[in-house]
Amino acid sequence: MGWIILGGGGHGSVIGDILLSDGHSVEGFTDISPSPPLLGRIPYLGDDLVVLARDRREVCLANGIGSVGDPSLRLRIFEDFQGKGYDFPPVISKNAYISPFASLGQGTVIFPGAIIQTAVSLGVNVIINTGAVVDHGCKIGNHVHIAPGTVLSGDVTVGDRCHIGTGASVIQGIEIGEGAIVAAGAVVVKSVGNGETVMGVPARRRP
């Protein structure tokens, strides 16, 4: 069974690298505009209509749309194809550590150097980016982006559609509400409400 990557930007390139490095067959990628091959090896197939022409039982999809602050496009692409019965198996770098006692939802992408500890639960369409640490007992909702170098201490809860910025740190037991944004480098020492943006050390709500 071959893989098709939806999206040909930087995020899609990293996914392609992970899949090829793990020996998977990658048929190509889709995008709204013709593009040169990803990594010089993964061919452009056309727009997303190419996927709809394929038997959903014969292809695995990877969501190559990134998520920086606004996850709406990534969310829409995932839900549209999943609703049509297409499968988004987790894409996991062989250079990440995943506890066998963690659970991963459909469409999860885990980049090199990430650490997912025991009893962690990841929702669907989650990005755990390069070098991020998600410690024991964390509960991560759907369509969440944990950016490079982020550290979530034990038993942190992150609601759906959150973005946790590069290098942010969240102490143990914190709850981060749905749609919240934690700015890059922030140190979160108290819970964050739905839709709030926090920044700084310690993190405070944006005025």
Side-chain angles (χ1 to χ4, degrees):
M1 182 177 290
W3 286 78
I4 294 177
I5 301 169
L6 306 177
H11 185 73
S13 294
V14 178
I15 289 175
D17 186 9
I18 292 170
L19 291 172
L20 291 175
S21 295
D22 205 28
H24 290 287
S25 173
V26 183
E27 296 184 14
F29 72 98
T30 64
D31 211 313
I32 58 174
S33 301
S35 303
L38 288 179
L39 309 174
R41 292 181 55 185
I42 302 173
Y44 171 72
L45 301 177
D47 63 20
D48 291 345
L49 294 177
V50 170
V51 179
L52 299 179
R54 295 292 306 277
D55 187 330
R56 62 180 181 271
R57 296 167 296 182
E58 297 180 354
V59 65
C60 296
L61 299 185
N63 195 342
I65 305 299
S67 175
V68 180
D70 180 6
S72 58
L73 178 58
R74 178 177 171 80
L75 187 158
R76 180 176 59 80
I77 292 291
F78 175 82
E79 291 189 338
D80 184 38
F81 281 99
Q82 190 184 53
K84 291 179 171 66
Y86 289 88
D87 193 28
F88 287 81
V91 176
I92 302 171
S93 169
K94 63 184 178 181
N95 296 314
Y97 171 75
I98 315 296
S99 167
F101 303 103
S103 65
L104 313 180
Q106 275 261 316
T108 295
V109 180
I110 301 178
F111 281 21
I115 298 174
I116 309 295
Q117 294 285 22
T118 186
V120 167
S121 173
L122 303 180
V124 301
N125 202 34
V126 170
I127 301 170
I128 306 295
N129 221 312
T130 309
V133 176
V134 182
D135 223 305
H136 64 86
C138 289
K139 310 298 180 189
I140 310 300
N142 301 320
H143 316 293
V144 171
H145 182 188
I146 308 296
T150 294
V151 176
L152 305 184
S153 297
D155 299 312
V156 171
T157 299
V158 179
D160 295 347
R161 305 180 311 280
C162 286
H163 177 87
I164 313 296
T166 300
S169 299
V170 183
I171 69 167
Q172 66 276 4
I174 291 295
E175 295 186 7
I176 298 176
E178 293 186 7
I181 297 174
V182 175
V187 177
V188 181
V189 297
K190 63 180 182 179
S191 292
V192 179
N194 293 343
E196 289 186 352
T197 296
V198 298
M199 57 185 65
V201 181
R204 294 182 173 85
R205 185 175 181 179
R206 184 175 64 183

